[in-house]
Amino acid sequence: SSVYVPPSTDYEADLLKDEKKQCVLIDEKAENCSPTIRRFDELQDRFMRNGVEVDSLYQNLVLSGTEFKDESCFGMRRFESADEKYVINEQFKKPQRGDYVHFSYQEVLERAIEVGKGMRALGVQPEENVGIYSPNRFEVQVCAYGLFSQAMRAVPFYDTLGANAVNYIMNHAETKVVCCAKEKLPALEEALTDVKTVTHVIQFDVD
């Protein structure tokens, strides 16, 4: 039997052949590594959608919430540990997840708007920073869109670099509010001991 061979296995070469200049070679002289390729600057000017100029991720969500309001935007799987058919996974010590629950574009947009209103009610102003301390999940995306709706910045916290990383990021970004997953609360509480700017912590999970 014959083995399928793709037309080209040189990804970088294919990118550089792009006549529309969607990418550009940055460092041609780098030793012992592949050339660095980045998106071409001209693409940053405008993104058009059905004749409408789209300047932000939030504006794209607003248009999608109108055009595809009843179609699925995000899906998530909830923990179903109370149900006998969802048993504990012995390897990771976490309950297995149940069926997917989907949220339409309109539902995501409405939730994002409420998040934005809530942030303003807490005193967060446009161009200010809000921390997000959580694994990637549905609530993280909704929270980020809510911040974008009010021209606020989402600052993710990464603790893979050590316990002091979260403390450093919060102080450096001068975050007022932190949105947090339940499992990250103990680490956040410890990191907050040397942080003066945080006034509110919002937990994603509700028991």
Side-chain angles (χ1 to χ4, degrees):
S1 61
S2 61
V3 177
Y4 170 74
V5 179
S8 172
T9 56
D10 193 338
Y11 175 71
E12 292 169 353
D14 286 345
L15 285 177
L16 293 173
K17 290 177 183 176
D18 184 5
E19 296 180 356
K20 294 183 179 180
K21 300 296 183 183
Q22 296 185 75
C23 52
V24 61
L25 186 65
I26 299 297
D27 188 0
E28 212 168 357
K29 300 179 181 179
E31 296 181 0
N32 301 322
C33 64
S34 300
T36 302
I37 296 175
R38 293 289 184 267
R39 187 172 293 277
F40 196 61
D41 291 339
E42 290 180 3
L43 290 183
Q44 299 178 7
D45 293 342
R46 290 292 186 199
F47 173 66
M48 299 292 294
R49 178 170 173 179
N50 293 337
V52 179
E53 291 183 349
V54 179
D55 297 318
S56 67
L57 289 173
Y58 177 69
Q59 186 183 4
N60 192 42
L61 178 64
V62 171
L63 293 173
S64 298
T66 302
E67 187 174 351
F68 310 109
K69 62 179 183 179
D70 295 324
E71 296 186 27
S72 295
C73 178
F74 286 114
M76 63 182 295
R77 298 174 67 188
R78 302 184 185 280
F79 284 118
E80 301 286 356
S81 56
D83 194 322
E84 290 183 359
K85 74 174 182 177
Y86 299 106
V87 297
I88 299 296
N89 185 317
E90 293 297 333
Q91 181 179 0
F92 298 104
K93 302 297 182 183
K94 290 183 178 180
Q96 294 183 355
R97 292 185 180 273
D99 297 330
Y100 273 97
V101 177
H102 291 92
F103 300 88
S104 69
Y105 281 91
Q106 185 175 19
E107 289 174 319
V108 172
L109 176 59
E110 290 174 350
R111 291 184 180 216
I113 291 173
E114 292 303 314
V115 170
K117 290 179 179 179
M119 291 298 171
R120 292 303 297 267
L122 292 177
V124 185
Q125 300 300 315
E127 301 297 323
E128 291 188 336
N129 300 319
V130 174
I132 299 179
Y133 193 17
S134 171
N136 192 25
R137 54 190 286 184
F138 170 68
E139 290 84 359
V140 169
Q141 306 303 318
V142 174
C143 181
Y145 275 116
L147 298 176
F148 300 157
S149 75
Q150 300 297 319
M152 300 168 186
R153 291 184 288 260
V155 180
F157 296 165
Y158 298 103
D159 53 12
T160 54
L161 299 178
N164 294 331
V166 175
N167 179 282
Y168 173 82
I169 296 171
M170 280 192 289
N171 278 317
H172 187 71
E174 299 180 345
T175 51
K176 289 184 176 180
V177 177
V178 177
C179 301
C180 183
K182 182 178 181 180
E183 65 266 28
K184 295 296 185 180
L185 279 176
L188 178 62
E189 184 178 7
E190 181 178 354
L192 284 171
T193 55
D194 296 323
V195 177
K196 305 297 184 182
T197 58
V198 175
T199 59
H200 294 83
V201 173
I202 301 172
Q203 179 182 307
F204 287 145
D205 311 270
V206 178
D207 294 330

